[in-house]
């Protein structure tokens, strides 16, 4: 999945890759819901923090015209966690998503 976000630079994009492991079924996806409740609850708290960071980033963009790198890194980490959690829920990956905010590397 690739999404182009910038009209200024057509080469700037976001790329998301999942290497499916196993054979996803409806039953396996439903069985993972109770197992992933702890991660979902922690993610809900982290997501509320992401809302506050989003508001602060918007204010910063309005005032300074820049998106602060620490806020950007936090939002990237939250989005990565969400992608890992959704990939686990849909049985695309076997491993339980880790409880960590990992912004990954910028490419």
């Amino acid at each position: 999945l690739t999404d182009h976000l910038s009209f200024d630079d057509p080469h700037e994009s976001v790329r998301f890759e999942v290497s499916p492991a196993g054979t996803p079924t409806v039953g396996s996806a439903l069985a993972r819901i109770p197992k992933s409740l702890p991660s979902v609850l922690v993610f809900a708290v982290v997501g509320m923090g992401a809302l506050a960071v989003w508001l602060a980033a918007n204010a910063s963009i309005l005032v300074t015209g820049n998106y602060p790198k620490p806020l950007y890194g936090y939002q990237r980490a939250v989005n990565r966690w969400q992608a890992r959690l959704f990939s686990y829920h849909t049985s695309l990956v076997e491993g339980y998503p880790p409880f960590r905010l990992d912004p990954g590397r910028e490419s």
Side-chain angles (χ1 to χ4, degrees), residues 47-105:
M48 285 186 263
L51 175 62
V53 167
W54 178 76
L55 291 171
N58 282 315
S60 175
I61 291 169
L62 284 173
V63 172
T64 67
N66 292 322
Y67 198 132
K69 280 208 175 273
L71 301 182
Y72 177 71
Y74 182 79
Q75 292 292 55
R76 278 177 46 119
V78 169
N79 286 336
R80 287 175 58 91
W81 188 349
Q82 180 182 26
R84 287 191 306 261
L85 190 58
F86 286 163
S87 296
Y88 177 75
H89 267 285
T90 56
S91 297
L92 291 175
V93 296
E94 294 298 323
Y96 191 79
F99 282 87
R100 72 171 187 260
L101 288 172
D102 175 20
R105 64 178 177 83

Side-chain angles (χ1 to χ4, degrees), residues 33-58:
I33 291 174
K35 292 192 311 188
S36 63
L37 281 179
S39 188
V40 169
L41 293 175
V42 172
F43 182 76
V45 173
V46 170
M48 285 186 263
L51 175 62
V53 167
W54 178 76
L55 291 171
N58 282 315

